[in-house]
Amino acid sequence: MTYYLKYRPQTIEELDMQSVRESLTNIVKSGNIPHAFLFAGPKGTGKTSVARILAKIINCESKNPPCNKCEQCLSITNGNNIDIIEMDAASNRGIDDIRALKDTIRLTPSKAKAKIYILDEAHMLTIEASNALLKTLEEPPSHVYFILATTNPEKLIETVKSRTVLISFTKATPEETKRSLARIIKKEELKIKNEELNEIIKMSKGSFRDAVKLLEQFSKDSNFLKSIKLFDVQDFLEVLLAKNLKEAIIKIENALRSGCTIVNTTEEILEKLQSKLIETEDRNLVTLIEYILEAQEFNKVTPIEELPLEVAIVKWCKLDK
Ligand SMILES: [Zn+2]
């Protein structure tokens, strides 16, 4: 099992994002858990982990939820609890999908106290589907909870937003990332120098997921940080602007092989392109930026993470040729 799965936070205390930890603590303390949430924020910031913790708190059989020992908690951890329905709105975005979902909502839970619907990438729902969902969000049956998660809250319709309790996820601060890694370092008894740890935190750029991935790589080969040849974005852009397709693809593959993540790499390219665009006002750059933004969007739904960026590179290099 990868570190990311093995060390997913299982309790509120283990949540490393301070603001989220505090909001959730207050909600649970109040004893009145809302029936519809909106978790909004970038990828890799722990939305799914928090959704599962919340599901456990609602359905745990012990007095101090989540106990992480009862049947409910364990099956949620293992992802096989039949009353926790995780759906990806990217592939279930139409009105028929929402109608089918609404049919199942009326049925009481099989074993748990409540059924919990976790709807990921909720902004991908069509307007029709969003409207169909609205009525249920307004008056959910007492045995139903909704957790909508999204990386693009601005794309959700206002009425859906207004009927949910918003929890904002942001990029992790270096301290928050450190807290997250510290838990793993301790349990795995890893030996890591302070400067190595800081390097990993810096490279992860606010993504817990990336930080944990990098730490895992480090645990297998502590030299990897030294050997890592960081992605040289300037160098890459020169090749790209010269429309040297082969070289550009090789550079991306090398970057990934040496531990860069596609999310960070894409962001770095975009940042550089932005400053170049402002500097030169070159219209051609607009097209290139659009291709890469498109790749970033597709990145959320593709199983092959480097594919969208490679498609963008090919489209750009073959343009007007
Ligand atoms: Zn429990």
Side-chain angles (χ1 to χ4, degrees), residues 49-257:
S49 302
V50 177
R52 290 189 178 174
I53 292 173
L54 191 57
K56 284 180 192 172
I57 290 170
I58 294 168
N59 278 336
C60 177
E61 292 158 2
S62 89
K63 276 183 193 154
N64 290 310
C67 69
N68 285 308
K69 286 181 192 128
C70 70
E71 196 190 332
Q72 285 299 319
C73 286
L74 288 178
S75 56
I76 294 172
T77 303
N78 296 331
N80 56 14
N81 184 306
I82 45 174
D83 293 308
I84 312 300
I85 301 102
E86 289 190 37
M87 282 174 60
D88 184 0
S91 42
N92 300 278
R93 57 195 306 262
I95 185 151
D96 291 335
D97 297 307
I98 294 300
R99 282 196 184 126
L101 181 150
K102 285 174 83 174
D103 285 339
T104 71
I105 283 171
R106 287 187 215 114
L107 309 171
T108 50
S110 306
K111 282 187 172 170
K113 284 178 239 171
K115 288 212 277 196
I116 294 153
Y117 289 83
I118 301 171
L119 192 59
D120 206 8
E121 298 298 348
H123 64 274
M124 300 287 278
L125 289 179
T126 63
I127 300 277
E128 259 186 320
S130 303
N131 282 320
L133 185 62
L134 203 56
K135 196 123 192 80
T136 315
L137 288 180
E138 260 168 8
E139 291 172 45
S142 59
H143 65 265
V144 168
Y145 291 81
F146 275 99
I147 301 168
L148 310 186
T150 180
T151 46
N152 297 70
E154 70 289 348
K155 289 188 186 162
L156 271 173
I157 61 174
E158 275 307 315
T159 38
V160 163
K161 273 197 249 182
S162 67
R163 278 157 186 81
T164 53
V165 171
L166 173 69
I167 298 202
S168 288
F169 291 69
T170 49
K171 285 195 174 179
T173 64
E175 290 71 32
E176 288 170 337
T177 309
K178 201 169 199 165
R179 186 185 192 268
S180 162
L181 296 179
R183 198 166 51 244
I184 303 177
I185 292 168
K186 193 173 168 207
K187 288 196 182 138
E188 292 286 328
E189 300 178 343
L190 299 178
K191 286 199 168 52
I192 181 166
K193 291 187 193 123
N194 232 333
E195 64 257 34
E196 291 168 329
L197 182 59
N198 288 336
E199 186 63 28
I200 289 178
I201 293 170
K202 201 171 139 204
M203 281 164 67
S204 68
K205 290 185 178 172
S207 162
F208 288 124
R209 190 182 301 174
D210 287 356
V212 172
K213 269 191 190 171
L214 288 165
L215 182 66
E216 183 160 15
Q217 234 166 320
F218 175 84
S219 75
K220 288 175 187 153
D221 172 17
S222 60
N223 279 322
F224 113 93
L225 283 175
K226 278 177 224 149
S227 66
I228 209 165
K229 199 177 143 277
L230 277 179
F231 179 62
D232 185 341
V233 64
Q234 179 63 36
D235 189 36
F236 171 75
L237 272 194
E238 275 168 28
V239 169
L240 195 59
L241 293 174
K243 300 205 172 173
N244 185 341
L245 175 60
K246 206 171 158 196
E247 198 53 32
I249 299 275
I250 289 174
K251 284 198 186 301
I252 291 297
E253 282 176 355
N254 283 343
L256 295 181
R257 211 168 294 135

